[in-house]
Amino acid sequence: QRQMCIRDRLDFISGMKKLSSFYLKEFTNEQLSLWYEMFEEIPEDIFNQAIKEISKENKYMPNASLLYDKCSSLNKNNLMNIANYMYQDGYFHRGVKRLSDEQALRNFDKTVMWLEKGIIPSFLKEDMQEYMKKYKQSQIQNQERLKIKC
């Protein structure tokens, strides 16, 4: 099990404070420790987005399982968006020579299957992490363009 640094724990606490304030409910230190163990592998942006969305959707304080399911769903959607971005960028056409559209689509479908099953081969995980950086940068640029047009 990987060790989390204090910064990560502080990010978690910050998210939990938001959740606490949305529902006017306090957490004990023991509860925070237990929830942290459950959420420590969740990316910070996904965790915060899940808190925001679940707070809009649910009238009552979610339990850890409900919040975890929301995080998993958002993470899966995020990974699917990355896979689509990779397809549009031509990633699945790459080979010794450019692959046919049919073969690229098969590779894309295989990737989608892996994502749905939660089994991502290490080579694909590394490539997706690189594309995540590019994807986030393109999202920021798109948001900036929208701000300029408004």
Side-chain angles (χ1 to χ4, degrees):
Q1 187 177 8
R2 75 184 183 94
Q3 183 121 3
M4 300 297 287
C5 66
I6 291 174
R7 173 84 179 123
D8 292 330
R9 191 173 283 268
L10 289 176
D11 291 338
F12 171 77
I13 298 288
S14 173
M16 292 302 286
K17 280 189 175 249
K18 286 179 202 166
L19 189 65
S20 175
S21 68
F22 289 146
Y23 291 99
L24 304 174
K25 181 181 182 328
E26 293 296 318
F27 289 94
T28 66
N29 287 338
E30 183 180 353
Q31 288 171 320
L32 287 173
S33 292
L34 290 171
W35 282 49
Y36 178 72
E37 287 177 22
M38 189 172 192
F39 291 98
E40 67 183 333
E41 298 296 323
I42 303 291
E44 180 191 355
D45 58 336
I46 297 291
F47 182 65
N48 286 321
Q49 185 180 355
I51 288 171
K52 189 176 185 179
E53 287 188 19
I54 219 157
S55 297
K56 290 178 182 177
E57 298 166 358
N58 292 11
K59 193 182 232 183
Y60 301 103
M61 175 75 177
N63 61 25
S65 178
L66 187 64
L67 184 58
Y68 188 85
D69 288 347
K70 177 58 92 172
C71 288
S72 295
S73 171
L74 289 172
N75 196 44
K76 189 180 281 189
N77 288 341
N78 188 40
L79 293 174
M80 291 300 292
N81 287 338
I82 300 300
N84 283 319
Y85 183 71
M86 292 169 77
Y87 186 82
Q88 292 167 2
D89 193 51
Y91 173 85
F92 295 102
H93 283 90
R94 295 181 191 153
V96 176
K97 61 179 185 172
R98 189 178 194 283
L99 300 176
S100 69
D101 290 345
E102 183 180 331
Q103 183 61 50
L105 197 53
R106 269 190 255 143
N107 289 344
F108 175 74
D109 288 342
K110 195 183 319 177
T111 296
V112 169
M113 179 199 64
W114 286 331
L115 292 175
E116 288 173 348
K117 290 184 177 185
I119 50 169
I120 306 171
S122 58
F123 78 90
L124 182 60
K125 188 179 260 186
E126 290 171 14
D127 291 347
M128 288 187 85
Q129 287 172 343
E130 287 301 312
Y131 268 92
M132 275 184 208
K133 293 173 192 168
K134 290 168 71 173
Y135 180 74
K136 284 182 181 181
Q137 188 59 41
S138 75
Q139 295 296 96
I140 291 168
Q141 290 170 347
N142 286 341
Q143 288 173 351
E144 290 300 317
R145 275 190 225 121
L146 288 174
K147 286 179 186 175
I148 291 170
K149 288 181 181 179
C150 291

